[in-house]
Amino acid sequence: NVFELQDAIALEVARALRISLQPGAGPRQQGTTSFQAYLEYLQGLSLLETWRTADMKTAADHAARAIAMDPKYADAHVLLAQANVRVAEYETGPDHERRFREVLRMALGLLDHALALDARARHAYAVRGYVNAFSDLATAESDLRKALELDPSDVQALEALAAVIYQNPARSSEALALIDKALKLDPLESRLEVVKATYLFYGRSDVDGAEKLLQDALRRSPL
């Protein structure tokens, strides 16, 4: 089975490297003493970043397995909440709005539990800010600023905070500054160029600036 083989290879590579991807990146430093739970988490996190619905569903499965292996693994609860919200947000179908609101409610429960396990779980604050933005912009901004207080280089938190602030036309310059900061931290992320282009086009009627950013994004990521 090619997928079982892929998982087996990933496991052996991870063991050989001892997850030395970056300083402090081992399982214990990431909130779990279970190597298997940490591997499930890493696989889920990687799939989540493709933004494909099928991959995000599989990411949720990995997160659930990580939680089953280590119920106190805060980041795994965050990953499960984030994956479920993204799937519910982008997957259409009958009764979409009701199902989406129910997923948001359950996600907040997972995130609150993650913060009860680890009060400094910065990803929990960032994802909770994203979830709260659907109903309470002030609370969302507070959560996202807390995430950035814990990690000023959190690109996703910067992007989410910019989106929250952009809802107020008087703060559009502040939103653009946050996106520029995110782009400096991750200059190859095409999605950020699209976000900035959106802000320039709708917020400032800067057609030329928006078009240039979108052309650059398409050149880097044709799909």
Side-chain angles (χ1 to χ4, degrees), residues 157-214:
L158 286 166
E159 180 185 354
L161 180 58
V164 167
I165 288 174
Y166 186 75
Q167 300 307 308
N168 182 345
R171 302 178 71 187
S172 60
S173 294
E174 188 180 349
L176 278 166
L178 286 166
I179 288 297
D180 283 338
K181 183 176 180 179
L183 276 165
K184 286 180 181 178
L185 291 167
D186 192 358
L188 299 181
E189 179 51 76
S190 300
R191 187 183 67 256
L192 295 173
E193 291 183 298
V194 176
V195 172
K196 184 175 180 180
T198 302
Y199 291 177
L200 289 176
F201 180 69
Y202 290 107
R204 295 188 174 181
S205 299
D206 184 354
V207 178
D208 292 339
E211 181 178 355
K212 181 179 185 303
L213 284 166
L214 294 171

Side-chain angles (χ1 to χ4, degrees), residues 25-37:
R28 189 178 299 275
Q29 288 79 12
Q30 295 300 317
T32 182
T33 57
S34 168
F35 178 85
Q36 294 292 345

